[in-house]
Amino acid sequence: MSKVVRLDPIGQEATVSTNDHLLSVLLKQELQVLQECGGRGMCATCHIFIKEGMEHLSPVSRRERRTLGVIATCQHQSRLACQSKVVGEGVVVELPSGMYLSEMSEIENLIGRRTEENILHPLDGRVLVETGKLITRSMITQLKETQSEVATQVATSQLN
């Protein structure tokens, strides 16, 4: 049976089968969501906020609670889309503002330009480059170090 999920602030609605993860909703809507850990709840790149309907989602697991604990922007209504199964109607998801660091080639093309939205750290959600800031070569170096840190963290998590 299908459930309707509303996505704010973009104002879209999407359907999802009962017990499907919210991540599948985001991906169906062609939203740029990274899956650094492959949907295992270890990297926080699918961090979202639940505006309404928390009771219509699966309970938070220990792994998800541990991952949410390291996200700087975590709030009471935070969840990981890859770990949140839709079990009832009335879920409203708020997408965090900003984009997660992904391909360095994309970022390098932005040198000398101002960011249109925050660039977020993929492990903890903190803002690496604020909206409107000029991207410099030194920022690119910092972003490359962050990308390396993410790869190491994800590889380590996969071994555990």
Side-chain angles (χ1 to χ4, degrees), residues 20-71:
D20 272 358
H21 294 95
L22 285 173
L23 182 59
S24 65
V25 173
L26 302 178
L27 295 175
K28 281 182 200 173
Q29 296 303 107
E30 297 182 7
L31 298 173
Q32 292 183 332
V33 180
L34 297 181
Q35 305 167 62
E36 291 292 322
C37 70
R40 294 195 317 267
M42 296 184 284
C43 71
T45 57
C46 65
H47 173 233
I48 54 172
F49 302 107
I50 306 301
K51 288 178 68 175
E52 295 175 27
M54 186 71 86
E55 68 277 10
H56 301 297
L57 297 173
S58 59
V60 178
S61 67
R62 263 186 28 211
R63 175 179 286 171
E64 182 179 5
R65 191 176 333 276
R66 191 170 46 239
T67 302
L68 288 171
V70 300
I71 301 173

Side-chain angles (χ1 to χ4, degrees), residues 115-156:
T115 58
E116 294 179 18
E117 58 185 334
N118 290 338
I119 297 177
L120 308 174
H121 190 290
L123 291 177
D124 60 22
R126 76 179 183 275
V127 176
L128 294 172
V129 182
E130 293 178 19
T131 302
K133 294 284 184 178
L134 192 65
I135 300 217
T136 63
R137 290 216 177 269
S138 62
M139 285 181 180
I140 297 298
T141 300
Q142 177 189 358
L143 295 174
K144 285 180 179 178
E145 289 171 4
T146 299
Q147 190 176 40
S148 174
E149 175 187 337
V150 170
T152 300
Q153 178 71 26
V154 170
T156 302

